[in-house]
Amino acid sequence: MPPTNPARRQALTDAAIDLLAASGVHGVTHRAVEKEAGLPAGTASNYFRSREALLVAAAERVVELHLADMDQAAGHQPAGGADLVEMLTESLLAAATTLRHRYLAIFELQLEAVRRPALAAALAGLQEVAVRVTAGHHDQLGLKIAREKVPALIALYGSALFALVSAPPSSVTRPAVEAIVDTMVYGSAVPDDPAAFTL
């Protein structure tokens, strides 16, 4: 039976996330994770018998952190009259700067999950929860967005985030993010009355 020290297990998975962001999926090994976490050799293999098990645990931890962030964001949003462009700009900017390493890790895991069914299963909850929580946020904020459009909005958000996270950090500025969000919300055409898109 594997050890049951939650703090040590979390230290290992958090170290794996940091390595995913810094070195990519191939940089995640038991020894590298132990070194990153400051733990003795052999610790990671005691908790995770295989490299795939280590990656799955990192994915589960990423999902846990992502859900906590979404819950916290929901609690800080003003009720009613929210501007969709402003909301998406703030969210993308934070994700691509403050949480950049987290999303680098997520993208690394998502690419690896194409070839690893167990990893894909661990990440599957991200999309399902994103749709449910995003729709709930829209309701809370009074945004009149049809439910069937939420997955497409999430796909656009994810694509924009990938472009921002994979770009040089110095290029991720508020004007750059606002330009992306304007196109996401308004399309490529300039509306006659931009105020009409304030929801």
Side-chain angles (χ1 to χ4, degrees):
M1 178 178 292
T4 56
N5 183 325
R8 181 161 285 198
R9 189 180 194 280
Q10 182 175 309
L12 291 166
T13 53
D14 287 347
I17 291 169
D18 289 342
L19 285 169
L20 282 162
S23 307
V25 72
H26 297 295
V28 179
T29 65
H30 286 81
R31 187 66 197 105
V33 166
E34 292 160 352
K35 184 176 180 182
E36 180 73 16
L39 293 171
T43 304
S45 59
N46 285 337
Y47 283 82
F48 312 108
R49 296 300 184 187
S50 66
R51 185 166 172 272
E52 181 170 77
L54 178 56
L55 290 172
V56 167
E60 291 169 347
R61 175 65 173 155
V62 157
V63 171
E64 176 188 344
L65 291 169
H66 181 69
L67 295 182
D69 286 343
M70 292 184 79
D71 288 341
Q72 184 177 14
H76 287 85
Q77 293 290 353
D83 182 278
L84 183 58
V85 171
E86 181 181 353
M87 183 179 73
L88 289 174
T89 297
E90 291 296 332
S91 176
L92 271 175
L93 194 58
T97 56
T98 306
L99 298 174
R100 183 175 184 270
H101 80 286
R102 169 101 48 83
Y103 287 97
L104 278 171
I106 287 175
F107 291 133
E108 286 283 345
L109 289 167
Q110 287 176 328
L111 289 171
E112 186 68 13
V114 174
R115 297 172 291 276
R116 294 178 183 267
L119 191 53
L123 291 170
L126 276 178
Q127 177 68 14
E128 178 185 337
V129 171
V131 171
R132 175 173 54 79
V133 174
T134 298
H137 287 183
H138 290 170
D139 289 343
Q140 178 184 348
L141 297 169
L143 300 173
K144 301 182 186 304
I145 298 171
R147 283 289 191 274
E148 62 269 19
K149 293 187 180 293
V150 172
L153 185 59
I154 290 171
L156 290 171
Y157 181 98
S159 299
L161 182 54
F162 181 85
L164 291 167
V165 165
S166 58
S170 60
S171 70
V172 182
T173 63
R174 181 174 293 275
V177 175
E178 286 176 343
I180 292 171
V181 173
D182 280 344
T183 302
M184 286 171 59
V185 175
Y186 302 145
S188 57
V190 178
D192 293 332
D193 182 13
F197 290 89
T198 301
L199 304 174

